[in-house]
Amino acid sequence: MKIQAALLAFTCLAVSPAWAINKCSIDGKVVFQDTACPGKGEVLVVRPASGQGSAAAPVAPAAPTKQPPAAQTAAPTQPAPPPLPVQVKSPLELEADQCLAWYRPFLRDPHGAYYTNLAKDQRVFSMDLHATNGYGGYVIKRATCEINAGRLDEAWTKIHAKRGNWPVE
């Protein structure tokens, strides 16, 4: 009995996962397989058993094979979903993106960084920069840039960074 259980477990682990499961009716019997059904059948959508996984997109049913053209009917098409609204950034957010791009080389995890509390006083732009520390937590540090006519002034931004105790050379 233990040998049969071990063989069953080994067989389950050795089988590669199927991405689609087809429920087929063959000779009056219901069969589940990973290839398209030769006759009547449907495609089943498999979703994660636990966790917050994203919902799988429905898979189109397998095309019937070897049926006369008269038996195939055109399925009604559904209208396309409306396009997603384009989010336009404000001028302050565009300046924040420039400032964040300048500070990224000084961050431990530059891709996970983001900003909040944007403020501008004439040409001096400041924001709270959120970035991960070496232990997986987020730290907040004030970052200041000099923006002149919509462009970042590197010399003045470097001076502001030194005043804010950023590790610039």
Side-chain angles (χ1 to χ4, degrees):
M1 187 69 158
K2 290 181 182 180
I3 294 173
Q4 289 176 342
L7 287 175
L8 179 64
F10 178 73
T11 305
C12 290
L13 292 175
V15 174
S16 63
W19 296 106
I21 298 176
N22 296 292
K23 181 179 177 183
C24 305
S25 296
I26 300 175
D27 297 329
K29 295 180 182 177
V30 176
V31 179
F32 295 94
Q33 59 188 27
D34 61 350
T35 59
C37 299
K40 214 165 83 174
E42 63 181 285
V43 176
L44 302 177
V45 177
V46 180
R47 298 181 192 262
S50 63
Q52 297 294 332
S54 62
V59 179
T65 57
K66 298 183 181 178
Q67 290 185 354
Q72 295 178 352
T73 58
T77 59
Q78 295 183 359
L84 295 174
V86 178
Q87 294 181 352
V88 179
K89 290 189 174 187
S90 69
L92 203 59
E93 290 173 323
L94 293 174
E95 291 177 355
D97 288 341
Q98 290 180 37
C99 191
L100 177 60
W102 191 87
Y103 277 95
R104 278 192 197 277
F106 306 111
L107 302 174
R108 182 175 293 256
D109 179 22
H111 299 293
Y114 63 95
Y115 51 81
T116 58
N117 299 329
L118 309 178
K120 186 167 182 184
D121 183 23
Q122 295 183 6
R123 296 185 343 184
V124 179
F125 175 82
S126 59
M127 64 182 175
D128 286 340
L129 194 56
H130 301 254
T132 56
N133 60 13
Y135 303 106
Y138 273 85
V139 293
I140 303 171
K141 191 165 184 180
R142 195 74 177 164
T144 307
C145 295
E146 187 90 14
I147 307 283
N148 188 7
R151 299 188 68 178
L152 185 123
D153 185 340
E154 290 205 32
W156 276 105
T157 299
K158 189 173 183 179
I159 292 170
H160 288 296
K162 284 182 183 178
R163 290 178 184 165
N165 294 326
W166 282 88
V168 294
E169 62 267 352

